[in-house]
């Protein structure tokens, strides 16, 4: 079972986290299942960038992003070559090291 290793993030996981994911589930779904509340303002429909993450290790194990995801990512704060929308990044059989960016372009966070 692949592991998702989240680097420390002051709000979402201050100590960092290592969790097990199921092959075929998205990074976002695995994170939410384990209590890491990554924002997802569009309810996982690839219509915003609030679930943007940077894959620090294991990026090559993910299927390529499609054109819609690429268009959304162009709007993300802190875009990097290994950026993905966590609602679209499907876990394979490899471990991933993931960084949740410090900021999002979400104007309103319903959870606050």
């Amino acid at each position: 079972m692949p592991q998702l290793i989240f680097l420390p993030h002051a709000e979402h996981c201050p100590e960092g986290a290592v969790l097990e994911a199921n092959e075929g589930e998205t990074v976002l779904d695995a994170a939410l299942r384990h209590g890491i509340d990554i924002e997802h303002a569009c309810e996982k429909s690839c219509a915003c960038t609030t679930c943007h993450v940077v894959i620090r290790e294991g990026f090559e194990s993910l299927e390529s992003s499609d054109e819609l995801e690429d268009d959304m990512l162009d709007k993300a704060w802190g875009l990097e070559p290994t950026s993905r929308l966590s609602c679209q990044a499907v876990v394979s059989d490899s471990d991933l090291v993931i960084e949740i960016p410090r900021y999002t372009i979400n104007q309103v966070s319903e959870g606050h």
Side-chain angles (χ1 to χ4, degrees):
M1 190 170 267
Q3 290 188 327
L4 303 185
I5 300 142
F6 283 87
L7 299 176
H9 182 280
E11 184 178 331
H12 297 292
C13 52
E15 304 296 319
V18 177
L19 50 104
E20 295 204 349
N22 298 312
E23 286 184 49
E25 79 178 320
T26 65
V27 169
L28 178 58
D29 286 337
L32 293 172
R33 188 166 46 81
H34 289 279
I36 299 175
D37 192 24
I38 297 173
E39 287 192 61
H40 51 287
C42 72
E43 294 301 318
K44 309 176 197 173
S45 66
C46 196
C48 73
T49 64
T50 58
C51 72
H52 168 230
V53 296
V54 180
I55 309 298
R56 294 292 179 202
E57 293 179 25
F59 181 81
E60 65 285 341
S61 71
L62 299 173
E63 289 189 21
S64 297
S65 56
D66 64 18
E67 188 174 340
L68 178 58
E69 182 181 358
D70 290 340
D71 288 346
M72 286 291 109
L73 281 169
D74 284 342
K75 302 172 188 175
W77 180 89
L79 184 66
E80 296 193 23
T82 58
S83 288
R84 290 297 302 266
L85 297 180
S86 62
C87 71
Q88 300 299 303
V90 177
V91 177
S92 68
D93 60 351
S94 298
D95 296 346
L96 300 174
V97 176
I98 301 162
E99 181 178 357
I100 302 169
R102 182 177 297 171
Y103 300 107
T104 176
I105 63 169
N106 194 11
Q107 298 292 326
V108 178
S109 183
E110 290 77 15
H112 299 279

